[in-house]
Amino acid sequence: MIKNTLLLIVLSILFFACSKTGDNSQATPKKIERIIISPEYLLQPKSSEVYIGVRYFKDYSDKDNITLTLNGQSGTQLSETSEQLLGTNLLFKFNSANQTGDFKIRCVVKNDQNTLEQEQTLRIVNDFSINTVWNSLDKSYSSSFSSIADRLKTTGYTLRPIANSSTNVQFGAYYENYAYLNLYVSKSFIPALYGVYTLIYNDLGLQQIKIANGSPDADQNFLATKFYADVTATYGNFISQNNTGNGKVTIFKSGIYTLTVTETPALVSTVITKS
């Protein structure tokens, strides 16, 4: 009788211990949530290295197994940071593609319980000429990313959100000398046309590329004279120039594209349209 009682007590203790262990494992799952893939450019020139940022969120501190591939090729991880509100952020570099087309970016994040995958398409083009950019940024593609990556001069990157509406996509800031104490790696887009880019669409497709080139009032480094000199060296002399009550409007031509530069005391901006 005593032996049976002792046996029952031991079995009860073992059962309780096992049950408690099981409950703990059920109560602390390792969740992986929301992978955000952010390329440095929405379009990538085929001759340049490709930089891609990854951000994801989790509720645990253990390390994960993370892979990022472009067209099936693995990238080199350059940095990793983790913050509670900003998630886990990694920056990868890939060799130049040396070919054009739409290539799949695939990110896989694994822990010992779960796996989360995310895919995006990156368009690789010959160059950043006006004609190439115009014909490559259809609304469906330019709206497929929620952000791009601005590389920091120290290490890592910061996300720049893409503002997307039914007709507009504002997708990046491209400057020869990026502001904010030069924290960011400078990057350019369409030659000689630095600034913040907005794409304007209608039912027929892309109608305008608007570029806020610089504000003399807000940016001490911006020189309108240098801007005009760069545009002239790239696209030739202007074909017309008219003074307005608040500044002037200068027209340049590049093949079938018209560049309308508007200068006011507060802003120099360019609108590209197709003839």
Side-chain angles (χ1 to χ4, degrees):
M1 183 71 173
I2 294 175
K3 287 184 177 180
N4 290 339
T5 301
L6 290 173
L7 181 60
L8 286 172
I9 292 172
V10 172
L11 291 174
S12 296
I13 292 172
L14 290 173
F15 178 80
F16 178 78
C18 292
S19 175
K20 188 174 182 181
T21 301
D23 288 342
N24 284 342
S25 64
Q26 291 294 322
T28 57
K30 295 179 179 179
K31 293 182 181 178
I32 310 170
E33 298 179 330
R34 201 160 55 98
I35 297 174
I36 303 171
I37 297 173
S38 304
E40 184 176 29
Y41 292 93
L42 286 193
L43 300 175
Q44 178 66 43
K46 67 178 184 180
S47 59
S48 300
E49 294 175 329
V50 181
Y51 292 88
I52 298 174
V54 170
R55 173 178 289 182
Y56 72 98
F57 298 86
K58 61 183 181 180
D59 58 359
Y60 55 93
S61 59
D62 297 350
K63 296 285 287 183
D64 302 305
N65 182 11
I66 303 164
T67 58
L68 188 73
T69 58
L70 175 61
N71 195 28
Q73 303 299 311
S74 296
T76 300
Q77 182 180 320
L78 300 180
S79 65
E80 179 176 352
T81 61
S82 186
E83 298 181 41
Q84 185 174 3
L85 295 179
L86 298 179
T88 299
N89 297 272
L90 304 99
L91 181 65
F92 292 82
K93 181 177 76 172
F94 296 83
N95 293 329
S96 57
N98 294 318
Q99 57 182 322
T100 62
D102 288 357
F103 300 98
K104 194 70 67 178
I105 306 170
R106 183 169 182 263
C107 181
V108 180
V109 181
K110 292 182 180 180
N111 59 32
D112 56 1
Q113 295 178 355
N114 297 300
T115 299
L116 188 63
E117 300 183 15
Q118 178 69 33
E119 287 189 345
Q120 299 260 190
T121 297
L122 181 64
R123 185 162 293 168
I124 297 179
V125 295
N126 282 314
D127 51 42
F128 283 156
S129 65
I130 294 176
N131 192 60
T132 297
V133 170
W134 187 282
N135 291 315
S136 301
L137 287 175
D138 56 273
K139 183 66 163 60
S140 176
Y141 176 75
S142 64
S143 302
S144 64
F145 290 94
S146 62
S147 56
I148 59 175
D150 281 336
R151 282 190 288 139
L152 301 172
K153 286 195 172 181
T154 52
T155 183
Y157 71 99
T158 184
L159 288 188
R160 180 177 291 275
I162 294 174
N164 181 15
S165 70
S166 59
T167 57
N168 295 8
V169 177
Q170 186 183 95
F171 67 95
Y174 303 93
Y175 289 102
E176 184 178 23
N177 183 17
Y178 216 30
Y180 307 108
L181 302 178
N182 293 324
L183 289 175
Y184 305 109
V185 174
S186 62
K187 57 184 182 182
S188 59
F189 197 46
I190 295 177
L193 295 175
Y194 296 100
V196 178
Y197 278 70
T198 301
L199 308 173
I200 312 297
Y201 297 90
N202 65 15
D203 292 340
L204 299 177
L206 183 61
Q207 294 302 297
Q208 295 181 1
I209 300 176
K210 289 187 175 181
I211 310 155
N213 302 112
S215 171
D217 290 341
D219 183 1
Q220 300 291 326
N221 295 318
F222 180 77
L223 294 174
T225 53
K226 182 180 184 306
F227 168 78
Y228 286 111
D230 290 344
V231 173
T232 300
T234 304
Y235 302 105
N237 293 325
F238 62 81
I239 62 172
S240 69
Q241 188 173 75
N242 297 297
N243 293 322
T244 68
N246 196 33
K248 64 182 179 182
V249 176
T250 307
I251 308 295
F252 296 87
K253 290 287 288 186
S254 177
I256 60 174
Y257 298 97
T258 300
L259 287 67
T260 303
V261 178
T262 300
E263 180 184 352
T264 69
L267 180 68
V268 175
S269 60
T270 302
V271 174
I272 302 174
T273 54
K274 186 177 180 180
S275 302

